[in-house]
Amino acid sequence: MPFLHASEGSTNYDIGKSPTWDGGRPHEVGKVTPDRAATVRRLNKRRQVLLQDIDNAKFSWFHVKVAFVSGAGFFTDAYDIFAINIVSVMLGLLYGSDGNASLDSTLTSLPGRSLSTGQEIGIKIATPVGVLLGQLLFGWLGDMLGRKRIYGMELAVIMVATFGQALCAPATAINVIGVLIFWRFVMGIGIGGDYPISAVISSEFSSVYIRGRVMAAVFANQGWGQLSATLFSFIIISAYKHSFLHDPPLSVLRSIDQIWRLIIGLGCVPAAVAIYFRLTIPETPRFTMDIERDIKQASSDVHALLSLDETYTVDPDALTLRVRARQANSHDFLSYFSKWENLKVLIGTSYSWLALDIAFYGLGLNSSIILDAIGFGTPSKDGAAPAAVVYQTLRNLSLGNLILSLAGLVPGYWAAFVFIDRWGRKPIQFMGFSVLTVLFLIMGLAYNKMIASSGGKAAFVVLYCIANFFQNFGPNTTSFIIPGEAFPTRYRATAHGISAASGKFGAVIAQLAFQWLKDAGGPNKFNHILEIFAFFMLTGVLSTMLIPETSQKSLEVISNESQDDFIQAVPLSDNGSSYLNRFQTSPIMLSPIEPHIVTSLPSRPPTAFSDRTLDTHKGRKASLTRLASISDVSVTS
């Protein structure tokens, strides 16, 4: 890959001088001997070779594992987020009000009960607010502590919060809606943690030619999660048909209570399946190499990824050497993002996600309200028992959401999967925002005419499905992929978390605006909301201009940083004080490895992702070819 290759003369260490990373000329601070300079040059070359190995890796079973384990989290996330769509209707039946103090023995007023506006807002924005905080927190932790160390923690948080929701109940001093809001907020923190870490892991493990498809496959599980939430809702509601039609009123209320708890509780299943594999996933080679500065272990992980069998060798030129590399800190963060060419990318990814989520969550979390408002599948109440009306309403709403998922959501994700590496990210995002602008404008301007006839309602549903399709075959997928590629390793998770959190800020705005504007101009008049969505889609077209095309490029090239002098030597006369003041990291000592102790080197224990294991029962040890490098170190004071 020519864009990663550096010629022998391209790395200028200026013997006797220490290079700087601020774009200035090298300055005298102490001596770097020729041997030290040559060794550091070889380490930089070794790093570039490892990056080329990753970027040129063929599609393998390991990539399938990464996509499955990361995707299982997104399946869970989408299920838990969008299950509230139908569950909120059931909560309204049980804990809402129609203006009367309580239900009578015949449940006459049951079909008209719903949550208040405040309760509806609280239930639906609690999770996006938690997601926003989780994305910022876990994104930062992912860059500070590493991807592996926190991967799986977010699923544990989701599981605990999901159980908390399914088991909560009203009491004299406790409002059940308030408890649900709390647990959905906690669940949102876990869901938020999944976005930056899964995106970065799938990005950093993938080769250049398949990276878009791997990341799209991970994110496409969001569609399956939404589909499963509506499908399981439909199945569970249908299973309770006898209770709705034949049981006494008290049993009907008990059935509704059981249904929503089952729907919510099932969200724990995929999380439980994936959590073990997440806890045992290896650290990404890029983080190990660039942040932990452990080139030997990164080399080991890369060859395990590529399933190459080699033996460990010793670099005869591995001299005692102190080295330094770029590290994340406030000074470096400000220095990197103070450059407009870097800052504009963060602005572009953040605003594009915000604009998209205003419409995506504005519609996604309220599709049941929209379907009910346009009379899609609304049952006749003439002469029917209240419980039968409730059953038919819940069943039709879940069926309507199932149709929307099958017709628009799921196909859109997989269309993006097919074309993401062929067309590129920017063309797909441009296309998606442009088409959505036109669709929402048509739906908004013609809303009143369309809902006035049965044919118009069918046309509205068709346009709604097409909008769902181009959300996912468009900015919903690309806004997830691009931030996972466009920033350097030390800020990749943090920047993705900032971008994703901007999107969830848009989701919170959408929920607040939806509840306040849906009755502007009359009950359930959504035309103004759809017109507002069209405006934000247009602004998304403009923000896309700030984003670079990341397809078929190495992550290091996209990061807009020179890779030639990434690893640098600390001069002999430099005691590390000035270096520590500027970069806030520890000097590192590189010591040679003696041949007679090579066989006793400790190795990292195999994980669930290892393609090879150590066979110690028969006296055999798997061996790996590695050069003694930055990892063979002791920290000096």
Side-chain angles (χ1 to χ4, degrees), residues 567-579:
I567 300 170
Q568 297 187 355
V570 177
L572 286 172
S573 62
D574 187 352
N575 62 9
S577 58
S578 62
Y579 165 64

Side-chain angles (χ1 to χ4, degrees), residues 8 10 81 99 194 232 239 260 383 397 422 431 452 455 518 526 603 622:
E8 283 297 319
S10 65
I81 290 175
D194 203 24
F232 290 157
W260 79 259
L397 289 177
R422 298 181 184 180
M431 175 194 66
K518 70 183 183 69
F526 300 110
S603 60

Side-chain angles (χ1 to χ4, degrees), residues 46 50 288-289 293-303 312-313 593 601-603 624-632:
R46 180 59 174 161
L50 290 176
T288 301
M289 185 163 40
R293 292 173 288 173
D294 191 339
I295 292 183
K296 184 189 75 176
Q297 184 59 53
S299 179
S300 173
D301 292 342
V302 168
H303 284 77
Y312 190 96
T313 60
I593 303 178
L601 283 173
S603 60
L624 301 170
T625 295
R626 303 294 168 257
L627 295 176
S629 59
I630 301 179
S631 63
D632 307 307

Side-chain angles (χ1 to χ4, degrees), residues 301-324:
D301 292 342
V302 168
H303 284 77
L305 165 64
L306 302 178
S307 298
L308 300 178
D309 293 317
E310 299 179 353
T311 57
Y312 190 96
T313 60
V314 179
D315 181 2
D317 298 317
L319 306 176
T320 298
L321 175 69
R322 287 187 297 152
V323 300
R324 62 188 178 191

Side-chain angles (χ1 to χ4, degrees), residues 364-440:
L365 294 181
N366 298 288
S367 57
S368 293
I369 296 176
I370 296 174
L371 290 172
D372 183 61
I374 66 174
F376 184 79
T378 302
S380 174
K381 300 180 182 179
D382 296 337
V389 173
V390 168
Y391 166 74
Q392 199 63 40
T393 299
L394 294 176
R395 185 178 182 277
N396 288 349
L397 289 177
S398 59
L399 180 61
N401 281 290
L402 185 61
I403 293 172
L404 295 180
S405 296
L406 287 172
L409 290 171
V410 173
Y413 285 110
W414 292 103
F417 171 82
V418 171
F419 293 102
I420 194 72
D421 284 322
R422 298 181 184 180
W423 292 3
R425 286 54 155 164
K426 284 187 71 171
I428 291 177
Q429 185 159 310
F430 266 125
M431 175 194 66
F433 273 130
S434 300
V435 173
L436 289 170
T437 300
V438 175
L439 287 174
F440 286 136

Side-chain angles (χ1 to χ4, degrees), residues 270-348:
V273 171
I275 193 168
Y276 167 75
F277 295 99
R278 288 201 169 188
L279 292 174
T280 57
I281 195 170
E283 185 58 84
T284 67
R286 281 183 164 92
F287 185 90
T288 301
M289 185 163 40
D290 291 352
I291 309 303
E292 294 182 338
R293 292 173 288 173
D294 191 339
I295 292 183
K296 184 189 75 176
Q297 184 59 53
S299 179
S300 173
D301 292 342
V302 168
H303 284 77
L305 165 64
L306 302 178
S307 298
L308 300 178
D309 293 317
E310 299 179 353
T311 57
Y312 190 96
T313 60
V314 179
D315 181 2
D317 298 317
L319 306 176
T320 298
L321 175 69
R322 287 187 297 152
V323 300
R324 62 188 178 191
R326 298 180 181 95
Q327 295 293 296
N329 56 65
S330 58
H331 178 274
D332 183 70
F333 182 90
L334 293 175
S335 175
Y336 180 81
F337 285 106
S338 64
K339 299 177 181 178
W340 173 243
E341 61 266 29
N342 300 327
L343 179 61
K344 72 175 183 179
V345 178
L346 183 60
I347 294 174

